[in-house]
Amino acid sequence: MNKKQKRNLIRIIISSVLVIALNFVKADGIFKFMLYMIPYLIIGYDILIKAFKGIKNLQAFDESLLMALATIGAIALALYDNGDYTEAIAVMLFYQIGELFQSYAVGKSRRNISELMDIRPDYANIIDENGQINKVDPDEVKIGTVIIVQPGEKIPIDGIITEGTTSLNTSALTGESLPKNVSVGDEAVSGCVNINGVIKLKTTKEFGESTVSKILDLVENASSRKSKSEDFITKFARIYTPAVVFSAVALAIIPPLALVAFGSTAMWQTWIYRALTFLVISCPCALVISIPLSFFAGIGGASKEGVLIKGSNYLETLSLAKTVVFDKTGTLTKGVFQVTAVHPENIDETGLLHLAAHVERYSTHPIANSLRAAYPNEADDCNVSDIEEISGYGIKAKVNGDIIYVGNSKFMESAGAKWIQCTHSGTIIHVAINGVYAGHIVISDVVKPTSKEAVYRLKKSGIDKTVMLTGDSKETAKKVAEDIGIDDVYAELLPEDKVKKVEELIESKAADKDKVVFVGDGINDAPVLSRADIGIAMGAMGSDAAIEAADVVLMDDDPVKISKAIKISRKCLRIVHENIYFAIGIKILCLIFGAVGIANMWLAIFADVGVMILAILNATRALFVKNL
Ligand code: ADP
Ligand code: MG
């Protein structure tokens, strides 16, 4: 509890004790009134001030006004017939208890989430000219600086390890509890915790561009993207509160006048009392607070599992997913290719690998990495220039004066080279020199060990259709899809064809509310990520493109997390709907009871605070998603 909450708790206790004590005091008239005003003002002064300010600023229709009107009205009635003030004070008391509970719950879940996301590094260790370790603000560290990370410290900035080996705990980022072993040459991603060895790393980014900053930005901004349910509640409250106030006025005036008209007594007091009860019932607090809290908890719980959702609107859309479309390379397969065969034409094997590795010198495509790795001495002094990477085709570059094409069969056709079909299974990378075919290199990728499980779980959770899109050849695509159990495959697609396919899938879906999800690794598929109803990028540890283009970011590259993300979203939306129906249902019941005089003010406030507490407790359930 913070200071303010403690103060409010003390107010609640003092005021309750006073009210109970006053019940044993014999007093009448104005003296009684003055005695009871003490606990009333202790517990309600801030609400009265807020209500007054609301009227002054012409934003009157809020909860404070409802509470102020109801209690002042009840006190006036009590003063008029020397009745009981306890009720009015109790209304304030319970209202304040509800408020206290609410601020505690909201504060707690906020704290929970920032604890979950406890990845913000406080400092970076740099070595000064005297060889001493100095702690500096990570913001001040320039790219290329060598920093030291001791065991137990967080890696403050993304970098490459230049000295030492250690295990990294990535759980704050990925939800994955297994440590990751790293050594010289490996990338160290900020936000991970160094477990055992001392390491030195050379930073590759500034702090603001590092993974840790990107993730924190993303999580902090998530609550500003509102879902439809939240918009609904805001609009609902805006119409609902004034509507109830006017109904209350009508309830206080019309029935008594009607009674007089029919010749009976007006019973003003009864009807005014009912109208006041109406005001108490009308507080929309349960909805107003519990719906955003549910989304907040859902997003928080998800981020703990390494699923970052950029806003509650995306959480809502994700829960309606019916079709899941996958990119192949890097998403369902590891994206780590290995050369399995080399078939040169009029050139020797090494010569072919040499050319391919050179052309791929600067590419970040997984294929490029494998071709570079297959030729050990890539960084020789050959002259590589005019590099042109053509998405979905391959790369063209000038190597020692010759124009070399490295890519798929379509690319060979555009270069005018007569390519040869290969019987090996795998991805075939053809090479042409100045338009003349020079053979091909067979590389193969392996399916991720959990891809099959991921597709199975999606099916089991009620996803209608799984689709795979790839720029790779039909044969490879088909084999992967069969292995994994994907329904439909579309191969040999260029990035723009992938966008078209996803658009087709969006148009052909059964119902308007069904949503199409696209899952990719952010390499060559950013346009598709943004075109799909929901774009999920995976393996975001270190890849900015993916973090930016997607609506949902999976920190590690385990495809099983996709069904988990969908389940988290569904659980959260289920809770939101439960709360909406429950709160509105109870409200309507109470309003009816209040209007016909069955519910008194006691019941009204119990119902209100009770519904709110239940709705908040229900909302916090959205935080618990570990075992989904
Ligand atoms: P995927 O859809 O499987 O993720 P991409 O769209 O990234 O694949 O690439 C499609 C195809 O284009 C690859 O299978 C390959 O034949 C060719 N290609 C793309 N980039 C390169 C590259 N850097 N070097 C060689 N071939 C490439
Ligand atoms: Mg790809």
Side-chain angles (χ1 to χ4, degrees), residues 362-428:
Y362 301 109
S363 170
T364 53
H365 199 280
I367 291 176
N369 296 339
S370 70
L371 291 176
R372 272 200 306 269
Y375 184 78
N377 193 17
E378 199 281 316
D380 56 17
D381 52 9
C382 290
N383 189 1
V384 183
S385 62
D386 303 340
I387 303 178
E388 228 179 289
E389 180 154 4
I390 303 135
S391 287
Y393 283 100
I395 304 192
K396 176 178 138 187
K398 210 174 204 174
V399 180
N400 298 332
D402 291 321
I403 300 190
I404 314 293
Y405 297 79
V406 177
N408 51 22
S409 51
K410 269 188 283 182
F411 198 40
M412 291 300 112
E413 267 148 33
S414 73
K418 288 202 191 61
W419 56 281
I420 300 173
Q421 186 83 42
C422 184
T423 51
H424 285 242
S425 72
T427 300
I428 317 291

XYZ file of all heavy atoms in Angstrom, residues 362-428:
506
model
N 27.292 -9.198 -48.096
C 26.648 -8.289 -47.148
C 25.202 -8.644 -46.836
O 24.528 -7.932 -46.117
C 26.711 -6.852 -47.666
C 28.119 -6.383 -47.883
C 28.628 -6.188 -49.164
C 28.955 -6.177 -46.787
C 29.938 -5.783 -49.354
C 30.263 -5.773 -46.972
C 30.754 -5.572 -48.256
O 32.041 -5.175 -48.426
N 24.701 -9.734 -47.397
C 23.284 -10.044 -47.190
C 23.052 -10.639 -45.803
O 23.891 -11.351 -45.266
C 22.805 -11.020 -48.261
O 21.523 -11.483 -47.936
N 21.860 -10.345 -45.232
C 21.534 -10.906 -43.917
C 20.576 -12.084 -44.050
O 20.103 -12.630 -43.071
C 20.850 -9.854 -43.030
O 19.749 -9.322 -43.754
C 21.802 -8.750 -42.646
N 20.223 -12.452 -45.288
C 19.304 -13.569 -45.503
C 19.934 -14.857 -44.962
O 21.145 -15.055 -45.085
C 19.022 -13.694 -47.002
C 17.782 -14.476 -47.307
N 17.768 -15.836 -47.283
C 16.532 -14.076 -47.624
C 16.541 -16.255 -47.580
N 15.771 -15.201 -47.788
N 19.113 -15.746 -44.374
C 19.664 -17.005 -43.847
C 20.445 -17.786 -44.900
O 21.457 -18.435 -44.590
C 18.429 -17.793 -43.416
C 17.337 -16.801 -43.251
C 17.683 -15.592 -44.053
N 20.000 -17.703 -46.155
C 20.707 -18.402 -47.234
C 22.126 -17.848 -47.382
O 23.100 -18.581 -47.558
C 19.935 -18.258 -48.571
C 18.633 -19.049 -48.487
C 20.775 -18.693 -49.757
C 17.742 -18.915 -49.710
N 22.223 -16.536 -47.265
C 23.518 -15.880 -47.411
C 24.480 -16.348 -46.322
O 25.649 -16.653 -46.596
C 23.342 -14.370 -47.341
N 23.967 -16.421 -45.106
C 24.828 -16.869 -44.006
C 25.421 -18.239 -44.292
O 26.598 -18.487 -44.058
C 24.035 -16.933 -42.702
C 23.547 -15.563 -42.283
O 24.104 -14.553 -42.715
N 22.500 -15.531 -41.482
N 24.580 -19.134 -44.832
C 25.063 -20.500 -45.054
C 26.082 -20.542 -46.187
O 27.071 -21.269 -46.120
C 23.892 -21.429 -45.360
O 23.377 -21.132 -46.632
N 25.858 -19.748 -47.230
C 26.791 -19.772 -48.354
C 28.136 -19.162 -47.956
O 29.191 -19.631 -48.367
C 26.203 -19.039 -49.558
C 25.001 -19.743 -50.213
C 24.430 -18.904 -51.338
C 25.402 -21.129 -50.733
N 28.088 -18.139 -47.126
C 29.335 -17.550 -46.634
C 30.093 -18.553 -45.768
O 31.295 -18.702 -45.872
C 29.041 -16.287 -45.827
C 28.984 -15.035 -46.669
C 29.178 -13.803 -45.807
N 28.232 -13.789 -44.697
C 27.032 -13.220 -44.750
N 26.640 -12.621 -45.862
N 26.230 -13.254 -43.716
N 29.318 -19.272 -44.933
C 29.963 -20.222 -44.022
C 30.591 -21.386 -44.775
O 31.555 -21.992 -44.316
C 28.954 -20.739 -43.007
N 30.045 -21.692 -45.977
C 30.534 -22.849 -46.716
C 31.862 -22.568 -47.413
O 32.564 -23.474 -47.834
C 29.500 -23.287 -47.747
N 32.190 -21.297 -47.559
C 33.479 -20.962 -48.158
C 34.321 -20.276 -47.095
O 34.036 -19.154 -46.701
C 33.292 -20.042 -49.369
C 34.590 -19.756 -50.064
C 35.157 -20.697 -50.918
C 35.275 -18.563 -49.840
C 36.368 -20.455 -51.522
C 36.492 -18.309 -50.446
C 37.033 -19.264 -51.293
O 38.240 -19.026 -51.893
N 35.348 -20.982 -46.597
C 36.020 -20.533 -45.372
C 36.681 -19.166 -45.474
O 36.685 -18.417 -44.521
C 37.054 -21.629 -45.109
C 37.137 -22.447 -46.345
C 35.889 -22.248 -47.113
N 37.201 -18.828 -46.630
C 37.996 -17.606 -46.691
C 37.299 -16.526 -47.512
O 37.807 -16.051 -48.503
C 39.370 -17.949 -47.272
C 40.360 -16.825 -47.078
O 40.133 -15.934 -46.255
N 41.432 -16.868 -47.840
N 36.113 -16.125 -47.051
C 35.313 -15.194 -47.841
C 35.944 -13.814 -47.918
O 35.912 -13.158 -48.948
C 33.900 -15.105 -47.247
C 32.856 -14.541 -48.191
C 32.927 -13.029 -48.282
O 33.057 -12.348 -47.240
O 32.864 -12.523 -49.417
N 36.550 -13.405 -46.787
C 37.046 -12.027 -46.714
C 38.406 -11.847 -47.383
O 39.298 -11.221 -46.833
C 37.096 -11.582 -45.263
N 38.580 -12.408 -48.579
C 39.859 -12.205 -49.272
C 39.803 -10.870 -50.020
O 38.851 -10.112 -49.884
C 40.162 -13.384 -50.209
C 39.037 -13.622 -51.203
O 38.199 -12.715 -51.383
O 38.984 -14.708 -51.789
N 40.806 -10.601 -50.854
C 40.808 -9.261 -51.441
C 40.152 -9.183 -52.822
O 40.439 -8.313 -53.615
C 42.232 -8.685 -51.457
C 43.202 -9.659 -52.117
O 42.710 -10.664 -52.692
O 44.421 -9.427 -52.044
N 39.260 -10.146 -53.119
C 38.513 -10.047 -54.372
C 37.663 -8.794 -54.356
O 37.248 -8.318 -53.309
C 37.605 -11.259 -54.556
S 38.537 -12.745 -54.880
N 37.396 -8.301 -55.543
C 36.652 -7.060 -55.665
C 35.153 -7.345 -55.884
O 34.772 -7.876 -56.913
C 37.247 -6.288 -56.845
C 36.703 -4.895 -56.928
O 35.890 -4.492 -56.089
N 37.153 -4.157 -57.927
N 34.345 -7.042 -54.870
C 32.898 -7.250 -54.999
C 32.219 -5.895 -55.011
O 32.412 -5.094 -54.103
C 32.343 -8.081 -53.813
C 30.860 -8.353 -54.007
C 33.116 -9.377 -53.653
N 31.428 -5.641 -56.070
C 30.763 -4.330 -56.126
C 29.389 -4.468 -56.764
O 29.014 -5.552 -57.212
C 31.616 -3.369 -56.947
O 31.721 -3.861 -58.268
N 28.670 -3.362 -56.854
C 27.351 -3.295 -57.509
C 26.407 -4.386 -57.024
O 25.737 -5.033 -57.834
C 27.482 -3.417 -59.044
C 28.391 -2.348 -59.617
O 28.575 -1.337 -58.918
O 28.912 -2.525 -60.730
N 26.355 -4.586 -55.729
C 25.499 -5.657 -55.206
C 24.037 -5.239 -55.265
O 23.682 -4.136 -54.869
C 25.877 -5.993 -53.747
C 27.349 -6.378 -53.686
C 24.994 -7.118 -53.209
C 27.854 -6.671 -52.306
N 23.209 -6.126 -55.787
C 21.782 -5.836 -55.876
C 21.027 -7.043 -55.356
O 21.087 -8.120 -55.946
C 21.426 -5.645 -57.356
C 20.611 -4.427 -57.649
C 20.347 -4.350 -59.147
O 21.301 -4.078 -59.919
O 19.212 -4.628 -59.530
N 20.314 -6.885 -54.236
C 19.567 -8.011 -53.690
C 18.129 -7.871 -54.133
O 17.491 -6.843 -53.932
C 19.666 -8.030 -52.151
C 18.895 -9.178 -51.527
C 19.450 -9.619 -50.166
O 20.388 -8.990 -49.659
O 18.918 -10.608 -49.626
N 17.604 -8.894 -54.784
C 16.235 -8.831 -55.281
C 15.391 -9.813 -54.491
O 15.519 -11.027 -54.655
C 16.180 -9.115 -56.801
C 17.094 -8.090 -57.519
C 14.765 -9.020 -57.335
C 17.968 -8.679 -58.553
N 14.543 -9.271 -53.611
C 13.726 -10.092 -52.724
C 12.991 -11.183 -53.466
O 12.344 -10.917 -54.464
C 12.658 -9.246 -52.040
O 13.205 -8.449 -51.086
N 13.085 -12.396 -52.964
C 12.342 -13.501 -53.563
C 13.026 -14.084 -54.786
O 12.555 -15.077 -55.351
N 14.095 -13.479 -55.264
C 14.838 -14.010 -56.411
C 16.264 -14.422 -56.025
O 16.652 -15.564 -56.176
C 14.939 -12.964 -57.519
C 13.687 -12.793 -58.337
C 12.816 -11.739 -58.104
C 13.407 -13.671 -59.384
C 11.675 -11.563 -58.878
C 12.270 -13.506 -60.168
C 11.404 -12.444 -59.914
O 10.300 -12.284 -60.678
N 17.017 -13.465 -55.530
C 18.402 -13.741 -55.209
C 19.236 -12.473 -55.254
O 18.703 -11.383 -55.090
N 20.521 -12.654 -55.516
C 21.421 -11.497 -55.520
C 22.295 -11.479 -56.762
O 22.705 -12.521 -57.266
C 22.355 -11.517 -54.282
C 21.529 -11.579 -53.004
C 23.265 -10.304 -54.263
C 22.343 -11.315 -51.761
N 22.552 -10.261 -57.235
C 23.412 -10.068 -58.389
C 24.546 -9.150 -57.958
O 24.304 -8.184 -57.230
C 22.547 -9.392 -59.456
C 23.201 -9.006 -60.722
C 22.108 -8.407 -61.616
C 22.656 -7.175 -62.315
N 21.617 -6.460 -63.068
N 25.775 -9.478 -58.344
C 26.880 -8.588 -57.972
C 28.024 -8.728 -58.959
O 28.092 -9.700 -59.722
C 27.381 -8.906 -56.568
N 28.900 -7.738 -58.959
C 30.075 -7.779 -59.826
C 31.236 -8.316 -59.001
O 31.593 -7.740 -57.969
C 30.383 -6.362 -60.296
C 31.032 -6.299 -61.658
C 31.140 -4.846 -62.064
C 31.205 -4.692 -63.578
N 31.172 -3.274 -63.958
N 31.795 -9.475 -59.420
C 32.946 -10.021 -58.696
C 34.120 -10.086 -59.660
O 34.045 -10.783 -60.677
C 32.654 -11.437 -58.148
C 33.863 -11.990 -57.401
C 31.429 -11.426 -57.245
N 35.187 -9.360 -59.353
C 36.375 -9.293 -60.212
C 35.998 -9.051 -61.677
O 36.510 -9.701 -62.591
C 37.202 -10.571 -60.098
C 37.713 -10.772 -58.686
O 37.910 -9.805 -57.954
N 37.894 -12.026 -58.304
N 35.028 -8.162 -61.875
C 34.680 -7.776 -63.239
C 33.569 -8.582 -63.879
O 32.999 -8.157 -64.874
N 33.232 -9.769 -63.338
C 32.146 -10.565 -63.922
C 30.848 -10.312 -63.168
O 30.857 -10.120 -61.953
C 32.464 -12.056 -63.822
C 33.619 -12.449 -64.728
O 33.670 -11.917 -65.865
O 34.453 -13.273 -64.295
N 29.730 -10.348 -63.906
C 28.447 -10.207 -63.226
C 27.958 -11.588 -62.817
O 27.772 -12.466 -63.654
C 27.424 -9.490 -64.113
C 27.992 -8.100 -64.436
C 26.081 -9.398 -63.400
C 27.050 -7.176 -65.097
N 27.785 -11.767 -61.527
C 27.407 -13.075 -60.996
C 25.983 -13.025 -60.468
O 25.621 -12.093 -59.740
C 28.349 -13.491 -59.832
C 29.814 -13.256 -60.190
C 28.080 -14.940 -59.414
C 30.355 -14.141 -61.281
N 25.205 -14.010 -60.841
C 23.833 -14.127 -60.349
C 23.758 -15.319 -59.409
O 24.204 -16.405 -59.755
C 22.854 -14.384 -61.506
C 22.786 -13.273 -62.519
C 23.775 -13.134 -63.498
C 21.717 -12.392 -62.514
C 23.700 -12.112 -64.431
C 21.635 -11.370 -63.452
C 22.631 -11.237 -64.407
O 22.561 -10.232 -65.330
N 23.185 -15.110 -58.219
C 23.014 -16.221 -57.284
C 21.573 -16.193 -56.805
O 21.139 -15.205 -56.203
C 23.969 -16.087 -56.071
C 23.737 -17.213 -55.076
C 25.419 -16.092 -56.533
N 20.822 -17.258 -57.097
C 19.422 -17.232 -56.674
C 18.656 -18.431 -57.190
O 19.242 -19.449 -57.570
N 17.327 -18.305 -57.266
C 16.506 -19.445 -57.668
C 16.338 -19.525 -59.186
O 16.889 -18.702 -59.939
C 15.163 -19.414 -56.946
C 14.489 -18.063 -57.073
O 14.795 -17.311 -57.994
N 13.585 -17.771 -56.162
N 15.545 -20.505 -59.642
C 15.426 -20.738 -61.081
C 14.812 -19.542 -61.800
O 15.199 -19.212 -62.923
C 14.617 -22.005 -61.336
O 13.410 -21.958 -60.619
N 13.871 -18.861 -61.124
C 13.269 -17.676 -61.743
C 14.328 -16.615 -62.023
O 14.287 -15.922 -63.041
C 12.213 -17.079 -60.786
C 10.822 -17.640 -61.025
C 9.787 -16.882 -60.211
C 9.840 -17.320 -58.773
N 8.845 -16.690 -57.904
N 15.254 -16.533 -61.094
C 16.319 -15.544 -61.222
C 17.217 -15.887 -62.410
O 17.653 -15.013 -63.154
C 17.120 -15.518 -59.917
C 17.956 -14.284 -59.728
C 17.459 -13.033 -60.096
C 19.219 -14.356 -59.169
C 18.213 -11.887 -59.908
C 19.986 -13.214 -58.987
C 19.483 -11.982 -59.355
N 17.459 -17.202 -62.583
C 18.279 -17.649 -63.706
C 17.606 -17.289 -65.019
O 18.236 -16.835 -65.968
C 18.489 -19.174 -63.639
C 19.366 -19.626 -62.497
S 21.013 -18.910 -62.576
C 21.015 -17.842 -61.167
N 16.262 -17.495 -65.050
C 15.537 -17.167 -66.274
C 15.665 -15.688 -66.608
O 15.882 -15.312 -67.755
C 14.065 -17.575 -66.142
C 13.854 -18.970 -66.704
C 12.762 -19.740 -66.003
O 11.792 -19.114 -65.554
O 12.898 -20.979 -65.907
N 15.535 -14.848 -65.565
C 15.636 -13.409 -65.833
C 17.049 -13.029 -66.261
O 17.253 -12.014 -66.910
C 15.177 -12.601 -64.620
O 16.147 -12.689 -63.600
N 18.043 -13.883 -65.913
C 19.418 -13.593 -66.329
C 19.734 -14.245 -67.675
O 20.804 -14.047 -68.235
C 20.393 -14.102 -65.270
N 18.787 -15.057 -68.162
C 18.987 -15.731 -69.437
C 19.885 -16.946 -69.356
O 20.442 -17.377 -70.365
N 20.040 -17.511 -68.155
C 20.905 -18.680 -68.011
C 20.095 -19.968 -68.070
O 19.000 -20.032 -67.522
C 21.669 -18.606 -66.694
N 20.610 -20.988 -68.746
C 19.894 -22.267 -68.851
C 20.203 -23.102 -67.624
O 21.232 -23.762 -67.550
C 20.351 -23.005 -70.109
C 19.827 -22.374 -71.371
C 19.838 -23.397 -72.511
C 19.564 -22.707 -73.844
N 20.590 -21.682 -74.179
N 19.298 -23.113 -66.699
C 19.557 -23.812 -65.438
C 19.190 -25.278 -65.558
O 18.406 -25.673 -66.424
C 18.817 -23.151 -64.296
C 17.328 -23.033 -64.529
C 16.708 -22.091 -65.301
C 16.325 -23.889 -64.022
N 15.366 -22.301 -65.311
C 15.092 -23.398 -64.526
C 16.324 -25.017 -63.193
C 13.882 -24.015 -64.213
C 15.117 -25.603 -62.892
C 13.906 -25.107 -63.408
N 19.720 -26.085 -64.690
C 19.470 -27.521 -64.723
C 18.705 -27.919 -63.477
O 19.011 -27.476 -62.366
C 20.813 -28.299 -64.755
C 21.594 -27.901 -66.010
C 20.564 -29.807 -64.717
C 22.982 -28.495 -66.036
N 17.678 -28.732 -63.682
C 16.888 -29.247 -62.566
C 17.771 -30.150 -61.696
O 18.559 -30.924 -62.200
C 15.731 -30.069 -63.144
C 14.743 -30.561 -62.132
C 13.722 -29.475 -61.808
O 13.242 -28.778 -62.691
N 13.406 -29.348 -60.531
N 17.650 -30.041 -60.400
C 18.443 -30.885 -59.510
C 17.532 -31.906 -58.837
O 16.389 -31.598 -58.500
C 19.134 -30.036 -58.455
S 20.211 -30.983 -57.380
N 18.037 -33.129 -58.673
C 17.199 -34.172 -58.087
C 17.314 -34.230 -56.566
O 16.530 -34.893 -55.906
C 17.584 -35.559 -58.654
O 19.002 -35.684 -58.509
C 17.191 -35.683 -60.096
N 18.289 -33.529 -56.028
C 18.443 -33.537 -54.569
C 17.304 -32.787 -53.899
O 16.768 -31.852 -54.465
C 19.770 -32.870 -54.174
C 20.954 -33.732 -54.438
N 21.786 -34.156 -53.445
C 21.441 -34.239 -55.586
C 22.746 -34.897 -53.979
N 22.547 -34.956 -55.289
N 16.978 -33.224 -52.692
C 15.972 -32.447 -51.991
C 16.670 -31.356 -51.201
O 17.798 -31.517 -50.745
C 15.150 -33.341 -51.069
O 15.924 -33.727 -49.973
N 15.983 -30.241 -51.112
C 16.574 -29.093 -50.424
C 16.323 -27.843 -51.238
O 15.624 -27.882 -52.263
N 16.861 -26.750 -50.801
C 16.720 -25.498 -51.532
C 17.889 -25.404 -52.505
O 19.037 -25.582 -52.124
C 16.726 -24.311 -50.541
O 15.644 -24.485 -49.645
C 16.602 -22.992 -51.255
N 17.550 -25.178 -53.789
C 18.593 -25.157 -54.814
C 18.965 -23.714 -55.122
O 18.102 -22.913 -55.498
C 18.105 -25.824 -56.127
C 17.329 -27.117 -55.841
C 19.267 -26.051 -57.092
C 18.153 -28.252 -55.305
